[in-house]
Amino acid sequence: MQQKLLDIQKVTVPALGLGTYKLTGKEGAREIQRALLLGYRHIDTAEMYGNEGDVGNAIKASGINRNDIFITTKVWPSNFSKNKFIPCVEESLRKLQIDTIDLLLLHWPADSDTNKLAADLLNECVHKKYAKLVGVSNFSLAQLKLVQKMAPVCCNQVEYSPYNNNKQLLQYMQQQGLMLTAYSPLARGEVLKEAIIKKLAEKHQRSGAQIVLRWLLEQNNVAAIPKAGSEKHSLQNLQVFDFELSENDMQQVFALAR
Ligand SMILES: NC(=O)c1ccc[n+]([C@@H]2O[C@H](COP(=O)([O-])OP(=O)(O)OC[C@H]3O[C@@H](n4cnc5c(N)ncnc54)[C@H](OP(=O)(O)O)[C@@H]3O)[C@@H](O)[C@H]2O)c1
């Protein structure tokens, strides 16, 4: 299967990943393992999802070389302190059964001073080789600019879908060579009910989800991490690299912004 690959700070990142929020326990691990076997090579998890152990088990059971999979996890703000941050990352490494996290994110912003402290702790994780790349999630443009002064952040994972596309943030990130990872890219399924998505799906003989994911992946520096629990959805979401949207199609999807 073809994938779009992003080059972020000289690291190759598959642009389409699997979101794993709510994929927990043995069943969650089975679904993640199935996605890996279907071809996913980018997995998004977080300490807060309570499933890093399940992700680790799924990777191991898949038999796929760990180095062929890009793994993102996140630290929750309650652990943004000198004595909690590093042990929390060590726990993530232990649960994921890996030595280095490909991308470690601050899950949500805190106040400015705490964000600066957490950015410094991200540096320590890079220094200890606990993380290859570091970044943030849910940070505003101003908050992102502040932490950029403190650490080599390469990513901001934000809610980004046809309903919710933050042009100003994306333009800045594109100029800086940063990756915008779109979470809830399908607006949790809601956007698939839109008439224009249905019309474009018919035009391209694709599903609505494929239209929305293609719209995201045609934007520079954008990665997307849809969550799919079923095999049908998992597979469908991967099959978005063999067709293109026209400029006019793209603009019609942009027009859904609220
Ligand atoms: N950083 C953050 O603060 C943050 C916040 C929220 C989410 N996230 C990440 O982003 C990931 C995705 O976000 P999300 O789960 O909120 O929303 P989403 O990916 O926009 O939507 C998931 C929903 O869409 C359905 N779906 C998936 N593929 C489909 C398809 N091909 N056709 C029809 N329906 C389809 C899924 O159903 P099935 O499960 O039945 O397939 C599920 O109900 C999360 O898992 C998490 O990793 C991060």
Side-chain angles (χ1 to χ4, degrees):
M1 187 228 24
Q2 259 178 301
Q3 246 280 21
K4 178 176 174 184
L5 299 172
L6 302 176
D7 178 1
I8 302 297
Q9 294 180 358
K10 300 197 172 125
V11 176
T12 301
V13 186
L16 186 84
L18 179 76
T20 68
Y21 182 48
K22 294 191 179 158
L23 295 179
T24 56
K26 283 200 175 135
E27 201 188 326
R30 259 198 308 275
E31 281 159 5
I32 297 164
Q33 182 188 347
R34 185 181 57 210
L36 287 165
L37 295 175
L38 288 173
Y40 284 84
R41 291 293 181 271
H42 172 169
I43 303 288
D44 181 78
T45 180
E47 166 219 340
M48 193 276 261
Y49 300 170
N51 68 354
E52 290 172 309
D54 305 314
V55 170
N57 289 338
I59 291 172
K60 205 160 192 188
S62 76
I64 295 165
N65 187 335
R66 179 268 166 275
N67 294 327
D68 292 337
I69 305 170
F70 185 87
I71 305 169
T72 301
T73 193
K74 319 182 189 85
V75 181
W76 193 247
S78 55
N79 289 316
F80 293 178
S81 67
K82 274 197 169 150
N83 49 6
K84 287 192 186 161
F85 197 96
I86 298 291
C88 169
V89 175
E90 286 169 345
E91 182 70 359
S92 292
L93 287 167
R94 192 187 63 73
K95 288 182 174 160
L96 287 162
Q97 306 170 51
I98 57 178
D99 300 324
T100 306
I101 294 156
D102 296 286
L103 176 59
L104 180 66
L105 304 179
L106 305 180
H107 201 146
W108 278 89
D111 61 77
S112 295
D113 285 345
T114 311
N115 288 341
K116 282 192 207 163
L117 171 77
D120 217 29
L121 291 161
L122 285 178
N123 284 326
E124 197 174 327
C125 288
V126 174
H127 184 70
K128 284 180 178 290
K129 296 199 168 27
Y130 286 175
K132 214 180 263 180
L133 298 174
V134 293
V136 295
S137 179
N138 297 298
F139 274 48
S140 68
L141 186 51
Q143 288 166 330
L144 172 66
K145 285 180 176 172
L146 183 78
V147 291
Q148 270 188 298
K149 292 183 188 154
M150 309 286 300
V153 296
C154 73
C155 165
N156 191 9
Q157 182 181 125
V158 292
E159 184 162 0
Y160 191 89
S161 76
Y163 286 151
N164 197 335
N165 61 82
N166 185 336
K167 274 193 185 156
Q168 202 196 1
L169 178 68
L170 178 60
Q171 265 170 19
Y172 173 79
M173 292 183 63
Q174 287 169 334
Q175 282 158 10
Q176 297 273 313
L178 307 179
M179 171 169 72
L180 185 153
T181 305
Y183 79 64
S184 304
L186 305 174
R188 301 175 183 90
E190 278 305 299
V191 73
L192 308 180
K193 298 176 191 158
E194 292 289 342
I196 186 60
I197 300 298
K198 289 183 183 168
K199 195 176 125 198
L200 290 172
E202 204 177 308
K203 173 180 165 189
H204 290 275
Q205 292 293 294
R206 297 285 166 155
S207 74
Q210 288 173 316
I211 298 295
V212 174
L213 294 172
R214 184 71 212 181
W215 171 82
L216 284 159
L217 296 171
E218 286 196 15
Q219 300 175 51
N220 290 338
N221 294 44
V222 173
I225 47 165
K227 176 254 173 190
S230 68
E231 180 167 4
K232 182 179 163 209
H233 290 165
S234 257
L235 186 60
Q236 213 178 74
N237 296 350
L238 264 187
Q239 294 172 333
V240 292
F241 300 103
D242 56 349
F243 75 105
E244 281 176 17
L245 297 179
S246 68
E247 187 49 40
N248 187 39
D249 296 338
M250 290 291 288
Q251 291 314 322
Q252 291 188 72
V253 182
F254 272 115
L256 289 172
R258 287 174 171 169

